[in-house]
Amino acid sequence: MKPKDLMVQAEKARKASYSPYSKFAVGAALLTKSGRVVLGCNVENSSFGLACCAERTAIFKAVSEGDQEFVAIAVTAGKGHGAAPCGACRQVLHEFSPDMWVYFHDDDGGIVRKRVNALLSNGFRLHARGGKR
Ligand code: THU
């Protein structure tokens, strides 16, 4: 699927955004290795710190439905609003598919294409320590 086509899906997902506090609506469309497109939007809360970004909504939906490998994600806050994924979302994407593509708008309405491991170098991985302290 072309970046532009996945971005159209992200724009659709954005319409469901619950963002009465920031008034910053974000949509994401996640392409799984199994060929599904899973949509996500940001979901805010009266307790501001509980907001969940569109990218994480999409990833958590997909994982809870059995998909753990991803090809690409498109993210948009609307054309003309550059919206690269936040650091927390980069780490969550990295957990599952460090080499997946991330598509997001630049400020001029163009689509930027980067791999997660380029957006987040040396992403954290938990290695078991064999019980030693
Ligand atoms: N937001 C996202 O959905 N994705 C990001 O990568 C950055 C920020 C949301 C969270 C919050 O609802 C609003 O944008 C303002 O920060």
Side-chain angles (χ1 to χ4, degrees):
M1 184 180 278
K2 287 182 187 154
K4 218 174 119 192
D5 297 329
L6 200 58
M7 192 55 90
V8 168
Q9 296 299 308
E11 271 150 22
K12 204 168 107 189
R14 184 170 172 263
K15 295 197 177 113
S17 167
Y18 178 73
S19 45
Y21 306 108
S22 72
K23 305 211 178 341
F24 191 77
V26 186
L30 179 64
L31 179 61
T32 69
K33 270 210 178 129
S34 62
R36 294 199 308 138
V37 174
V38 179
L39 304 184
C41 63
N42 55 333
V43 182
E44 299 186 344
N45 193 272
S46 298
S47 179
F48 294 170
L50 300 182
C52 187
C53 293
E55 300 91 316
R56 274 178 285 158
T57 302
I59 287 271
F60 295 155
K61 273 177 71 182
V63 172
S64 67
E65 291 165 2
D67 278 295
Q68 295 190 0
E69 291 183 289
F70 307 111
V71 177
I73 189 167
V75 186
T76 184
K79 257 198 177 163
H81 293 282
C86 78
C89 288
R90 292 177 195 203
Q91 175 65 30
V92 170
L93 296 170
H94 182 276
E95 176 80 14
F96 295 101
S97 296
D99 61 353
M100 72 186 283
W101 287 100
V102 182
Y103 310 137
F104 54 93
H105 279 130
D106 59 23
D107 289 336
D108 305 319
I111 298 179
V112 181
R113 303 151 196 220
K114 298 230 160 126
R115 289 191 190 271
V116 167
N117 52 22
L119 292 171
L120 180 73
S121 56
N122 304 112
F124 177 69
R125 287 252 180 236
L126 186 62
H127 296 293
R129 293 186 194 175
K132 285 183 190 158
R133 290 192 190 187

